[in-house]
Amino acid sequence: SDSTQSAGIYSPVQPLLRRLKLSGKLALIGFILIVPLVILLGFTVQDEQNKIDTAKDELLGAPLGHEMLDLVMMLQDRRGLSVMRVNGADVDGKLKELDAKLLETVKEVDASVAKLHAPDLDQAWQKAKTDLAQLQGQKWDSAKHALQSHSHLIYNVFAGVDMAAERSGLLFD
């Protein structure tokens, strides 16, 4: 019957339960009920900590992504001005002004890359900076070369945006 089956289930602990007073039995029941709650609380705390870590990474990655996208926009403008210059337009003043803005943005990206602590991104960024410095000192003999060199750098900076998004858990639209 039901009472003999339940007695069989509890038979290993019956000697212990017989020796305990009512307060001990209640404490044991309380302990048995609290253990799963403590385990669930631990999982909840761990999940919240993971969310906090993700948010911190996103907060570091978002400015970097936007700074790099700003850099891409400036490089696109520079590409156009360089092609115009090869074709005879007097755009040296605009190029110098744009290069000054590029320098400021490069400093911002430098600081953001350092905060993200991603060695592969830092390495790619250092290469892009070197390429930019060479590009800024270049005098183009053809519009095609100016266009190709700028486009190559723009592609590499876009790759850096993707890398920054990946490292910080972001996707940029």
Side-chain angles (χ1 to χ4, degrees):
S1 81
D2 277 345
S3 65
T4 57
Q5 286 178 349
S6 66
I9 292 173
Y10 298 114
S11 63
V13 292
Q14 280 182 352
L16 173 67
L17 292 176
R18 282 190 190 123
R19 282 184 270 162
L20 291 176
K21 293 182 181 181
L22 181 61
S23 61
K25 289 176 184 176
L26 290 175
L28 181 63
I29 290 171
F31 177 75
I32 290 170
L33 292 175
I34 292 225
V35 168
L37 291 175
V38 169
I39 291 171
L40 286 174
L41 181 63
F43 285 136
T44 302
V45 168
Q46 184 178 12
D47 183 53
E48 291 302 313
Q49 186 59 49
N50 289 341
K51 289 178 184 176
I52 289 169
D53 292 343
T54 298
K56 285 179 181 177
D57 288 344
E58 289 174 352
L59 288 172
L60 290 174
L64 174 59
H66 290 290
E67 290 159 0
M68 291 180 95
L69 289 173
D70 290 345
L71 186 67
V72 165
M73 297 298 290
M74 286 184 246
L75 287 170
Q76 289 173 340
D77 290 344
R78 192 177 197 293
R79 176 177 56 189
L81 290 171
S82 294
V83 169
M84 291 171 63
R85 178 196 224 178
V86 169
N87 289 327
D90 183 20
V91 293
D92 288 343
K94 289 182 180 181
L95 273 171
K96 284 181 183 180
E97 182 182 317
L98 185 56
D99 282 344
K101 289 180 185 177
L102 276 166
L103 181 62
E104 289 302 313
T105 304
V106 164
K107 289 177 184 176
E108 292 171 7
V109 173
D110 273 338
S112 295
V113 167
K115 289 178 188 174
L116 197 56
H117 304 294
D120 53 343
L121 176 61
D122 184 53
Q123 185 178 9
W125 171 240
Q126 295 307 320
K127 168 111 174 63
K129 275 183 16 181
T130 301
D131 292 348
L132 176 61
Q134 290 173 352
L135 189 104
Q136 288 176 314
Q138 190 80 16
K139 296 287 184 187
W140 308 104
D141 57 350
S142 75
K144 180 180 177 182
H145 288 122
L147 187 68
Q148 287 174 339
S149 294
H150 282 82
S151 295
H152 178 73
L153 180 56
I154 290 167
Y155 174 82
N156 288 340
V157 174
F158 262 128
V161 172
D162 288 342
M163 202 179 293
E166 181 182 315
R167 297 302 177 276
S168 59
L170 292 172
L171 292 176
F172 295 108
D173 294 327

